[in-house]
Amino acid sequence: MSEFKNFIEDIIDSDLASGKVTQVCTRFPPEPNGYLHIGHAKSLCINFGIKNKYNGKCNLRFDDTNPSKEDQEYVESIKRDITWLGFTWDKLLFASDYFDVMFDCAVKLINKGLAYVSDESADEIRERRGTLTEPGVESPYRNRSVSENLQLFYQMRNGVYPDGSKVLRAKIDMASPNLNMRDPVIYRVLHATHHNTGDKWCIYPMYDFAHPIEDAHEGITHSICTLEFEDHRPLYDWVVRECEFPQPRPQQIEFARLNITNTIMSKRYLKKLVDEGKVMGWDDPRMPTLSGLRRRGYPAAALRDFCERIGVSKANSEVQESYLQSCVRDELNRTANRVMAVFDPLPVTITNYNGSEQLSVENNPNADNVTYRNVTFSNRIYIDRADFALVPPPKYHRLKPDGYVRLKGAYILHCDDVALNDDGTVKQLICSIVPNSKSGEDTSGVKVKGVIQWVNAADCIDITVRKLQSLLTDVQDGVTDFNLRFNANSLQVVTAKAEPSLLSAQVEDKFQFMRVGYYVLDRDSADGNLVFNEIVNLKDGFNPAI
Ligand code: ATP
Ligand code: MG
C-alpha cells in the first residue's frame, strides 16, 4: 500500500484526530441490477482499503430500493466477485431490510412539517421545478396539514393509490439554487414484487432519501461515492439531520469515477450485450465485469494493484486500457509458469538425432523457488513459421538457411536444408543439432543470439485459443455511442500446438506461452480439448507519457 495518503484518508485522519470518529466504518453499496465491473473494483478498493488501513469496518449493503430491476442472481455474483477480489465484508445488509426505518423517518418528517403528499404527476413536478436561473413554483399540495399528509401517506402504503398517482415530497426550498433541494420526491407508489420483501410494500423510497438513512442507521462514518453525487450532498445532510440521527453522522465524500478507454462502465449497456446475445454472458472473457476479467485471466492482485496505482482524485479522467494490461502483465510475469506453444507450426526434421529424451525446463525464472518440468525432445518438432526466414532481413537472430538458433531448454539447431511447396512457401526444414549444445551443459562453443520455442511433433496437443480484443472500437470522428462502436472482431478462435504438460492444467490456471503472451485455461475446456483465453500479449503498449 502506498505511503502517500489520498484526500479521503486526510479527511479520515483529521476526523480521528479531532475525536469526531473513533472507529472508521465504510460501506460498499451496489444496486443488485447487474454484475460488478472494473469501475466497481475502484470503489471496492477504496472502501475496503480504508477498512484494512484503519482497522475499521466495511459493510456490504445491497442498495435494493428499486424492485423492478433487481435479481438474486446479481446478489450472488456480487458476493462472489468481492470475495474473489480479496475483500471480506463485516455486515451483509440489504437496504430493503430498513424499509420500516425509512417509513418511520418519512412519518417523522411529515410530523415535523417537512414532508407532504403531492398528487402531481412526474411531468408536473418537473415543469414546476424551475431551472438553474429560475426558482421553482411551489406545489399546490405543499400546504396540506400534517394530519392530512399522515392519512394520505398511510393510504399510499396501504395500497389505496395506483402507481404514479401520489408521491411524498420533502418540504425544503423551491427557490434553492441547488435543484436537488427543491422539494425532492422521497417516496413513490409502485406496486411491484421485491426480490427480498415480496409484496409487503407498494411504496418505495427514492435513492436520495434512502441512502443517507441506510448509512446513518448502520453507523457509517464515511460514505464514499462518485462525483455525480456532489450536488446531492446538501440533501444527504438534510435527511440525516432532520431525521435526527445521533452523532457522529455519516459524511459523504465524493471521488472521480474510473473510466478506461474502450471499456464499458455501464451495467445497463453490459446487460444489453448479454440480453442481445452479443457476448457469451456476464462473464464472457471480453466483458469488463469482474467475473469476465477473472475468466479472462486477470489476477485479482493485478486489479488491486491497478486501483492503487491510478489513485483517488476529484478530477474526472480516462485511464488507458493499456495501463490495466500492464499491471496484469507485471503480476503474471512474476507468477505465471512458462510453457511452449506454436501457433503457426512449421515441421522440422532433425537428421542427426535418434530416439527421444526428457529435458528438464524451468517453469518460471522469476519465481522465488524455481521449479522444473519435463519436456520430451525427438527428431520431429514444430517451430513457429514466424521464427524462420527464407530471406532474412539484416540482424535476423532467428532461424534462416544455414543459420543457427537455440531451441528453448534443448539444443542449438542448424538449418541444413529447406523443402518448399510448389507455390514457393516453406514446407518443412531439414535440420541438425549442434553436438554438445544441450541447454545448461553447452560445451559446443557455438554462439547464438536467438532462442525460440518449439513443440515435439510426437506428443504435442492441439489446443483452442480465443484471441480477444476490446468490445469497443476506438472513438472515431467523435462517435462515442457504445451502440455504434461494437467491435465485431473482438473474438477470434484459432488453434495451436502445445506441450502436453498443459493436460494437467486446472481451469483458471494461467501460463505464459513463451514469446507470445499470457493465457488462461477456460472452463469451456472438455476432455481432450483445452480452450485458452488470451489474457495479454507480452508487449507493453502502455506509454506513461501519453
Ligand atoms: P452503473 O452506472 O454501472 O450501473 P452504478 O453506479 O449505478 O453503476 P452501483 O451498483 O450503484 O452502480 O455502484 C456501487 C458503488 O460503486 C457506488 O458507490 C458507485 O459510486 C461505485 N461505482 C460505480 N461505477 C464506478 C466507477 N466507474 N468508478 C468508481 N466507482 C464506481
Ligand atoms: Mg447506481
Side-chain angles (χ1 to χ4, degrees), residues 75-112:
V75 170
E76 295 309 321
S77 76
I78 289 169
K79 292 199 292 199
R80 208 167 44 235
D81 289 343
I82 296 174
T83 304
W84 173 73
L85 199 56
F87 297 123
T88 313
W89 53 84
D90 289 279
K91 292 186 186 147
L92 173 66
L93 300 159
F94 289 85
S96 55
D97 290 339
Y98 311 151
F99 281 162
D100 286 300
V101 176
M102 294 170 194
F103 183 82
D104 291 347
C105 285
V107 169
K108 176 177 262 195
L109 293 182
I110 295 173
N111 276 317
K112 290 172 79 174

mmCIF file of all heavy atoms in Angstrom, residues 75-112:
data_model
loop_
_atom_site.group_PDB
_atom_site.id
_atom_site.type_symbol
_atom_site.label_atom_id
_atom_site.label_comp_id
_atom_site.label_asym_id
_atom_site.label_seq_id
_atom_site.Cartn_x
_atom_site.Cartn_y
_atom_site.Cartn_z
ATOM 1 N N VAL A 75 -27.194 -10.606 -6.756
ATOM 2 C CA VAL A 75 -26.728 -10.592 -5.364
ATOM 3 C C VAL A 75 -25.621 -11.630 -5.190
ATOM 4 O O VAL A 75 -24.552 -11.347 -4.639
ATOM 5 C CB VAL A 75 -27.911 -10.879 -4.399
ATOM 6 C CG1 VAL A 75 -27.407 -11.104 -2.977
ATOM 7 C CG2 VAL A 75 -28.930 -9.739 -4.450
ATOM 8 N N GLU A 76 -25.853 -12.829 -5.700
ATOM 9 C CA GLU A 76 -24.866 -13.909 -5.548
ATOM 10 C C GLU A 76 -23.573 -13.575 -6.299
ATOM 11 O O GLU A 76 -22.481 -13.808 -5.789
ATOM 12 C CB GLU A 76 -25.431 -15.239 -6.056
ATOM 13 C CG GLU A 76 -26.618 -15.760 -5.245
ATOM 14 C CD GLU A 76 -26.350 -15.791 -3.747
ATOM 15 O OE1 GLU A 76 -25.225 -16.142 -3.336
ATOM 16 O OE2 GLU A 76 -27.267 -15.431 -2.973
ATOM 17 N N SER A 77 -23.703 -13.045 -7.501
ATOM 18 C CA SER A 77 -22.492 -12.747 -8.284
ATOM 19 C C SER A 77 -21.664 -11.662 -7.597
ATOM 20 O O SER A 77 -20.441 -11.717 -7.595
ATOM 21 C CB SER A 77 -22.865 -12.323 -9.709
ATOM 22 O OG SER A 77 -23.351 -11.003 -9.728
ATOM 23 N N ILE A 78 -22.330 -10.685 -7.021
ATOM 24 C CA ILE A 78 -21.616 -9.575 -6.366
ATOM 25 C C ILE A 78 -20.824 -10.102 -5.161
ATOM 26 O O ILE A 78 -19.651 -9.764 -4.973
ATOM 27 C CB ILE A 78 -22.610 -8.457 -5.974
ATOM 28 C CG1 ILE A 78 -23.112 -7.749 -7.244
ATOM 29 C CG2 ILE A 78 -21.977 -7.469 -5.000
ATOM 30 C CD1 ILE A 78 -24.291 -6.807 -7.039
ATOM 31 N N LYS A 79 -21.446 -10.974 -4.389
ATOM 32 C CA LYS A 79 -20.747 -11.547 -3.228
ATOM 33 C C LYS A 79 -19.516 -12.341 -3.691
ATOM 34 O O LYS A 79 -18.426 -12.229 -3.121
ATOM 35 C CB LYS A 79 -21.693 -12.448 -2.433
ATOM 36 C CG LYS A 79 -22.810 -11.667 -1.750
ATOM 37 C CD LYS A 79 -23.481 -12.415 -0.626
ATOM 38 C CE LYS A 79 -24.276 -13.578 -1.028
ATOM 39 N NZ LYS A 79 -25.255 -14.046 -0.034
ATOM 40 N N ARG A 80 -19.725 -13.127 -4.744
ATOM 41 C CA ARG A 80 -18.632 -13.958 -5.265
ATOM 42 C C ARG A 80 -17.463 -13.085 -5.755
ATOM 43 O O ARG A 80 -16.302 -13.345 -5.467
ATOM 44 C CB ARG A 80 -19.196 -14.779 -6.431
ATOM 45 C CG ARG A 80 -18.532 -16.090 -6.679
ATOM 46 C CD ARG A 80 -19.338 -16.968 -7.634
ATOM 47 N NE ARG A 80 -19.870 -16.291 -8.798
ATOM 48 C CZ ARG A 80 -21.160 -16.284 -9.137
ATOM 49 N NH1 ARG A 80 -22.055 -16.914 -8.401
ATOM 50 N NH2 ARG A 80 -21.568 -15.647 -10.218
ATOM 51 N N ASP A 81 -17.805 -12.031 -6.476
ATOM 52 C CA ASP A 81 -16.762 -11.186 -7.064
ATOM 53 C C ASP A 81 -15.972 -10.416 -5.999
ATOM 54 O O ASP A 81 -14.775 -10.218 -6.142
ATOM 55 C CB ASP A 81 -17.387 -10.197 -8.062
ATOM 56 C CG ASP A 81 -17.871 -10.901 -9.316
ATOM 57 O OD1 ASP A 81 -17.451 -12.049 -9.557
ATOM 58 O OD2 ASP A 81 -18.693 -10.309 -10.055
ATOM 59 N N ILE A 82 -16.657 -9.961 -4.963
ATOM 60 C CA ILE A 82 -15.953 -9.213 -3.901
ATOM 61 C C ILE A 82 -14.989 -10.151 -3.176
ATOM 62 O O ILE A 82 -13.836 -9.799 -2.891
ATOM 63 C CB ILE A 82 -16.957 -8.581 -2.913
ATOM 64 C CG1 ILE A 82 -17.812 -7.536 -3.634
ATOM 65 C CG2 ILE A 82 -16.227 -7.960 -1.730
ATOM 66 C CD1 ILE A 82 -18.924 -6.948 -2.793
ATOM 67 N N THR A 83 -15.446 -11.359 -2.911
ATOM 68 C CA THR A 83 -14.590 -12.343 -2.246
ATOM 69 C C THR A 83 -13.388 -12.661 -3.120
ATOM 70 O O THR A 83 -12.249 -12.710 -2.645
ATOM 71 C CB THR A 83 -15.404 -13.612 -1.941
ATOM 72 O OG1 THR A 83 -16.540 -13.237 -1.158
ATOM 73 C CG2 THR A 83 -14.573 -14.631 -1.176
ATOM 74 N N TRP A 84 -13.657 -12.830 -4.409
ATOM 75 C CA TRP A 84 -12.550 -13.120 -5.329
ATOM 76 C C TRP A 84 -11.520 -11.986 -5.339
ATOM 77 O O TRP A 84 -10.314 -12.217 -5.351
ATOM 78 C CB TRP A 84 -13.099 -13.344 -6.750
ATOM 79 C CG TRP A 84 -11.995 -13.465 -7.758
ATOM 80 C CD1 TRP A 84 -11.140 -14.522 -7.927
ATOM 81 C CD2 TRP A 84 -11.609 -12.479 -8.725
ATOM 82 N NE1 TRP A 84 -10.245 -14.251 -8.935
ATOM 83 C CE2 TRP A 84 -10.511 -13.009 -9.437
ATOM 84 C CE3 TRP A 84 -12.090 -11.209 -9.050
ATOM 85 C CZ2 TRP A 84 -9.880 -12.301 -10.468
ATOM 86 C CZ3 TRP A 84 -11.470 -10.504 -10.067
ATOM 87 C CH2 TRP A 84 -10.381 -11.050 -10.771
ATOM 88 N N LEU A 85 -12.018 -10.759 -5.282
ATOM 89 C CA LEU A 85 -11.100 -9.619 -5.319
ATOM 90 C C LEU A 85 -10.256 -9.548 -4.049
ATOM 91 O O LEU A 85 -9.264 -8.834 -3.999
ATOM 92 C CB LEU A 85 -11.896 -8.325 -5.531
ATOM 93 C CG LEU A 85 -11.145 -7.104 -6.029
ATOM 94 C CD1 LEU A 85 -10.415 -7.370 -7.338
ATOM 95 C CD2 LEU A 85 -12.105 -5.912 -6.216
ATOM 96 N N GLY A 86 -10.644 -10.300 -3.052
ATOM 97 C CA GLY A 86 -9.805 -10.419 -1.863
ATOM 98 C C GLY A 86 -10.305 -9.643 -0.658
ATOM 99 O O GLY A 86 -9.542 -9.396 0.268
ATOM 100 N N PHE A 87 -11.583 -9.264 -0.669
ATOM 101 C CA PHE A 87 -12.087 -8.467 0.439
ATOM 102 C C PHE A 87 -13.131 -9.229 1.254
ATOM 103 O O PHE A 87 -13.856 -10.071 0.730
ATOM 104 C CB PHE A 87 -12.686 -7.156 -0.087
ATOM 105 C CG PHE A 87 -11.669 -6.284 -0.774
ATOM 106 C CD1 PHE A 87 -11.855 -5.870 -2.087
ATOM 107 C CD2 PHE A 87 -10.519 -5.880 -0.107
ATOM 108 C CE1 PHE A 87 -10.913 -5.072 -2.723
ATOM 109 C CE2 PHE A 87 -9.570 -5.080 -0.737
ATOM 110 C CZ PHE A 87 -9.773 -4.670 -2.044
ATOM 111 N N THR A 88 -13.183 -8.889 2.546
ATOM 112 C CA THR A 88 -14.130 -9.532 3.456
ATOM 113 C C THR A 88 -14.991 -8.448 4.087
ATOM 114 O O THR A 88 -14.460 -7.515 4.705
ATOM 115 C CB THR A 88 -13.369 -10.265 4.582
ATOM 116 O OG1 THR A 88 -12.322 -11.023 3.977
ATOM 117 C CG2 THR A 88 -14.286 -11.191 5.352
ATOM 118 N N TRP A 89 -16.277 -8.540 3.908
ATOM 119 C CA TRP A 89 -17.160 -7.525 4.492
ATOM 120 C C TRP A 89 -17.454 -7.871 5.938
ATOM 121 O O TRP A 89 -17.332 -9.019 6.353
ATOM 122 C CB TRP A 89 -18.464 -7.395 3.684
ATOM 123 C CG TRP A 89 -19.188 -8.687 3.476
ATOM 124 C CD1 TRP A 89 -20.060 -9.303 4.323
ATOM 125 C CD2 TRP A 89 -19.104 -9.531 2.308
ATOM 126 N NE1 TRP A 89 -20.510 -10.466 3.765
ATOM 127 C CE2 TRP A 89 -19.955 -10.640 2.543
ATOM 128 C CE3 TRP A 89 -18.411 -9.460 1.099
ATOM 129 C CZ2 TRP A 89 -20.129 -11.668 1.605
ATOM 130 C CZ3 TRP A 89 -18.582 -10.491 0.176
ATOM 131 C CH2 TRP A 89 -19.434 -11.575 0.434
ATOM 132 N N ASP A 90 -17.826 -6.834 6.699
ATOM 133 C CA ASP A 90 -18.253 -7.068 8.066
ATOM 134 C C ASP A 90 -19.705 -7.494 8.036
ATOM 135 O O ASP A 90 -19.994 -8.666 7.977
ATOM 136 C CB ASP A 90 -17.973 -5.821 8.913
ATOM 137 C CG ASP A 90 -16.457 -5.690 9.115
ATOM 138 O OD1 ASP A 90 -15.937 -6.378 9.990
ATOM 139 O OD2 ASP A 90 -15.795 -4.968 8.341
ATOM 140 N N LYS A 91 -20.644 -6.544 7.981
ATOM 141 C CA LYS A 91 -22.050 -6.959 7.916
ATOM 142 C C LYS A 91 -22.510 -7.093 6.470
ATOM 143 O O LYS A 91 -22.105 -6.313 5.611
ATOM 144 C CB LYS A 91 -22.915 -5.938 8.633
ATOM 145 C CG LYS A 91 -22.679 -5.909 10.121
ATOM 146 C CD LYS A 91 -23.688 -4.975 10.771
ATOM 147 C CE LYS A 91 -23.387 -4.813 12.245
ATOM 148 N NZ LYS A 91 -23.748 -3.479 12.714
ATOM 149 N N LEU A 92 -23.361 -8.058 6.227
ATOM 150 C CA LEU A 92 -24.018 -8.204 4.926
ATOM 151 C C LEU A 92 -25.449 -7.711 5.108
ATOM 152 O O LEU A 92 -26.201 -8.272 5.905
ATOM 153 C CB LEU A 92 -24.016 -9.672 4.491
ATOM 154 C CG LEU A 92 -24.817 -9.975 3.240
ATOM 155 C CD1 LEU A 92 -24.194 -9.305 2.027
ATOM 156 C CD2 LEU A 92 -24.906 -11.483 3.012
ATOM 157 N N LEU A 93 -25.787 -6.643 4.397
ATOM 158 C CA LEU A 93 -27.061 -5.978 4.673
ATOM 159 C C LEU A 93 -27.822 -5.696 3.384
ATOM 160 O O LEU A 93 -27.230 -5.638 2.298
ATOM 161 C CB LEU A 93 -26.780 -4.652 5.388
ATOM 162 C CG LEU A 93 -26.028 -4.794 6.726
ATOM 163 C CD1 LEU A 93 -25.352 -3.494 7.093
ATOM 164 C CD2 LEU A 93 -26.958 -5.252 7.824
ATOM 165 N N PHE A 94 -29.101 -5.510 3.528
ATOM 166 C CA PHE A 94 -29.950 -5.127 2.394
ATOM 167 C C PHE A 94 -30.695 -3.860 2.789
ATOM 168 O O PHE A 94 -31.297 -3.806 3.868
ATOM 169 C CB PHE A 94 -30.969 -6.230 2.089
ATOM 170 C CG PHE A 94 -30.337 -7.457 1.494
ATOM 171 C CD1 PHE A 94 -29.783 -8.431 2.310
ATOM 172 C CD2 PHE A 94 -30.254 -7.614 0.121
ATOM 173 C CE1 PHE A 94 -29.173 -9.547 1.762
ATOM 174 C CE2 PHE A 94 -29.646 -8.723 -0.441
ATOM 175 C CZ PHE A 94 -29.103 -9.697 0.384
ATOM 176 N N ALA A 95 -30.641 -2.869 1.925
ATOM 177 C CA ALA A 95 -31.372 -1.634 2.207
ATOM 178 C C ALA A 95 -32.848 -1.947 2.441
ATOM 179 O O ALA A 95 -33.518 -1.286 3.233
ATOM 180 C CB ALA A 95 -31.206 -0.653 1.051
ATOM 181 N N SER A 96 -33.335 -2.967 1.763
ATOM 182 C CA SER A 96 -34.759 -3.300 1.915
ATOM 183 C C SER A 96 -35.088 -3.765 3.335
ATOM 184 O O SER A 96 -36.246 -3.742 3.737
ATOM 185 C CB SER A 96 -35.153 -4.368 0.896
ATOM 186 O OG SER A 96 -34.310 -5.501 1.017
ATOM 187 N N ASP A 97 -34.059 -4.185 4.094
ATOM 188 C CA ASP A 97 -34.323 -4.538 5.492
ATOM 189 C C ASP A 97 -34.695 -3.313 6.315
ATOM 190 O O ASP A 97 -35.188 -3.433 7.429
ATOM 191 C CB ASP A 97 -33.079 -5.191 6.124
ATOM 192 C CG ASP A 97 -32.820 -6.577 5.550
ATOM 193 O OD1 ASP A 97 -33.765 -7.181 5.010
ATOM 194 O OD2 ASP A 97 -31.668 -7.050 5.636
ATOM 195 N N TYR A 98 -34.381 -2.135 5.769
ATOM 196 C CA TYR A 98 -34.654 -0.895 6.523
ATOM 197 C C TYR A 98 -35.910 -0.184 6.036
ATOM 198 O O TYR A 98 -36.110 0.976 6.345
ATOM 199 C CB TYR A 98 -33.517 0.129 6.387
ATOM 200 C CG TYR A 98 -32.125 -0.373 6.617
ATOM 201 C CD1 TYR A 98 -31.063 0.236 5.977
ATOM 202 C CD2 TYR A 98 -31.859 -1.419 7.492
ATOM 203 C CE1 TYR A 98 -29.768 -0.187 6.185
ATOM 204 C CE2 TYR A 98 -30.563 -1.850 7.696
ATOM 205 C CZ TYR A 98 -29.518 -1.231 7.033
ATOM 206 O OH TYR A 98 -28.240 -1.643 7.234
ATOM 207 N N PHE A 99 -36.736 -0.844 5.251
ATOM 208 C CA PHE A 99 -37.926 -0.142 4.750
ATOM 209 C C PHE A 99 -38.778 0.392 5.901
ATOM 210 O O PHE A 99 -39.372 1.467 5.801
ATOM 211 C CB PHE A 99 -38.745 -1.061 3.838
ATOM 212 C CG PHE A 99 -38.196 -1.179 2.433
ATOM 213 C CD1 PHE A 99 -38.577 -2.238 1.611
ATOM 214 C CD2 PHE A 99 -37.308 -0.233 1.913
ATOM 215 C CE1 PHE A 99 -38.081 -2.348 0.308
ATOM 216 C CE2 PHE A 99 -36.805 -0.339 0.619
ATOM 217 C CZ PHE A 99 -37.197 -1.395 -0.182
ATOM 218 N N ASP A 100 -38.823 -0.350 7.021
ATOM 219 C CA ASP A 100 -39.593 0.144 8.164
ATOM 220 C C ASP A 100 -38.962 1.403 8.752
ATOM 221 O O ASP A 100 -39.659 2.356 9.087
ATOM 222 C CB ASP A 100 -39.688 -0.938 9.251
ATOM 223 C CG ASP A 100 -40.655 -2.041 8.855
ATOM 224 O OD1 ASP A 100 -41.839 -1.723 8.633
ATOM 225 O OD2 ASP A 100 -40.216 -3.203 8.730
ATOM 226 N N VAL A 101 -37.625 1.380 8.854
ATOM 227 C CA VAL A 101 -36.917 2.556 9.393
ATOM 228 C C VAL A 101 -37.176 3.769 8.492
ATOM 229 O O VAL A 101 -37.452 4.875 8.968
ATOM 230 C CB VAL A 101 -35.393 2.284 9.451
ATOM 231 C CG1 VAL A 101 -34.633 3.517 9.922
ATOM 232 C CG2 VAL A 101 -35.083 1.074 10.318
ATOM 233 N N MET A 102 -37.122 3.523 7.191
ATOM 234 C CA MET A 102 -37.315 4.639 6.245
ATOM 235 C C MET A 102 -38.742 5.175 6.325
ATOM 236 O O MET A 102 -38.963 6.383 6.282
ATOM 237 C CB MET A 102 -37.013 4.174 4.823
ATOM 238 C CG MET A 102 -35.542 3.813 4.646
ATOM 239 S SD MET A 102 -35.294 3.008 3.076
ATOM 240 C CE MET A 102 -33.658 2.342 3.301
ATOM 241 N N PHE A 103 -39.669 4.250 6.474
ATOM 242 C CA PHE A 103 -41.064 4.671 6.595
ATOM 243 C C PHE A 103 -41.222 5.539 7.844
ATOM 244 O O PHE A 103 -41.837 6.612 7.791
ATOM 245 C CB PHE A 103 -41.973 3.426 6.662
ATOM 246 C CG PHE A 103 -43.426 3.759 6.708
ATOM 247 C CD1 PHE A 103 -44.116 4.057 5.530
ATOM 248 C CD2 PHE A 103 -44.119 3.806 7.917
ATOM 249 C CE1 PHE A 103 -45.468 4.386 5.568
ATOM 250 C CE2 PHE A 103 -45.466 4.143 7.950
ATOM 251 C CZ PHE A 103 -46.140 4.420 6.773
ATOM 252 N N ASP A 104 -40.622 5.085 8.951
ATOM 253 C CA ASP A 104 -40.726 5.857 10.198
ATOM 254 C C ASP A 104 -40.074 7.240 10.044
ATOM 255 O O ASP A 104 -40.572 8.228 10.586
ATOM 256 C CB ASP A 104 -40.046 5.104 11.354
ATOM 257 C CG ASP A 104 -40.827 3.842 11.728
ATOM 258 O OD1 ASP A 104 -41.975 3.696 11.276
ATOM 259 O OD2 ASP A 104 -40.258 3.000 12.458
ATOM 260 N N CYS A 105 -38.968 7.285 9.323
ATOM 261 C CA CYS A 105 -38.317 8.584 9.082
ATOM 262 C C CYS A 105 -39.243 9.502 8.287
ATOM 263 O O CYS A 105 -39.325 10.708 8.559
ATOM 264 C CB CYS A 105 -37.015 8.394 8.311
ATOM 265 S SG CYS A 105 -35.682 7.754 9.325
ATOM 266 N N ALA A 106 -39.925 8.933 7.302
ATOM 267 C CA ALA A 106 -40.844 9.745 6.496
ATOM 268 C C ALA A 106 -41.968 10.283 7.369
ATOM 269 O O ALA A 106 -42.344 11.467 7.270
ATOM 270 C CB ALA A 106 -41.400 8.905 5.343
ATOM 271 N N VAL A 107 -42.470 9.441 8.246
ATOM 272 C CA VAL A 107 -43.544 9.884 9.150
ATOM 273 C C VAL A 107 -43.028 11.001 10.055
ATOM 274 O O VAL A 107 -43.712 12.003 10.290
ATOM 275 C CB VAL A 107 -44.075 8.678 9.968
ATOM 276 C CG1 VAL A 107 -44.994 9.152 11.096
ATOM 277 C CG2 VAL A 107 -44.798 7.693 9.049
ATOM 278 N N LYS A 108 -41.792 10.835 10.524
ATOM 279 C CA LYS A 108 -41.195 11.870 11.369
ATOM 280 C C LYS A 108 -41.139 13.209 10.619
ATOM 281 O O LYS A 108 -41.500 14.259 11.150
ATOM 282 C CB LYS A 108 -39.787 11.440 11.799
ATOM 283 C CG LYS A 108 -39.061 12.503 12.608
ATOM 284 C CD LYS A 108 -37.697 12.005 13.062
ATOM 285 C CE LYS A 108 -37.747 11.518 14.432
ATOM 286 N NZ LYS A 108 -36.952 11.209 15.377
ATOM 287 N N LEU A 109 -40.713 13.163 9.373
ATOM 288 C CA LEU A 109 -40.627 14.405 8.582
ATOM 289 C C LEU A 109 -42.008 15.023 8.403
ATOM 290 O O LEU A 109 -42.174 16.247 8.490
ATOM 291 C CB LEU A 109 -39.989 14.136 7.218
ATOM 292 C CG LEU A 109 -38.508 13.739 7.213
ATOM 293 C CD1 LEU A 109 -38.007 13.566 5.779
ATOM 294 C CD2 LEU A 109 -37.654 14.787 7.935
ATOM 295 N N ILE A 110 -43.020 14.175 8.142
ATOM 296 C CA ILE A 110 -44.383 14.712 7.983
ATOM 297 C C ILE A 110 -44.794 15.405 9.281
ATOM 298 O O ILE A 110 -45.298 16.537 9.275
ATOM 299 C CB ILE A 110 -45.380 13.585 7.623
ATOM 300 C CG1 ILE A 110 -45.054 12.991 6.247
ATOM 301 C CG2 ILE A 110 -46.822 14.115 7.653
ATOM 302 C CD1 ILE A 110 -45.881 11.753 5.885
ATOM 303 N N ASN A 111 -44.529 14.729 10.394
ATOM 304 C CA ASN A 111 -44.911 15.307 11.686
ATOM 305 C C ASN A 111 -44.198 16.625 11.962
ATOM 306 O O ASN A 111 -44.731 17.506 12.628
ATOM 307 C CB ASN A 111 -44.604 14.314 12.821
ATOM 308 C CG ASN A 111 -45.750 13.322 12.987
ATOM 309 O OD1 ASN A 111 -46.933 13.711 12.949
ATOM 310 N ND2 ASN A 111 -45.411 12.045 13.122
ATOM 311 N N LYS A 112 -42.981 16.744 11.454
ATOM 312 C CA LYS A 112 -42.234 17.991 11.648
ATOM 313 C C LYS A 112 -42.640 19.057 10.622
ATOM 314 O O LYS A 112 -42.033 20.128 10.572
ATOM 315 C CB LYS A 112 -40.723 17.720 11.519
ATOM 316 C CG LYS A 112 -40.160 16.909 12.680
ATOM 317 C CD LYS A 112 -38.710 16.500 12.422
ATOM 318 C CE LYS A 112 -37.729 17.633 12.696
ATOM 319 N NZ LYS A 112 -36.326 17.177 12.579
#
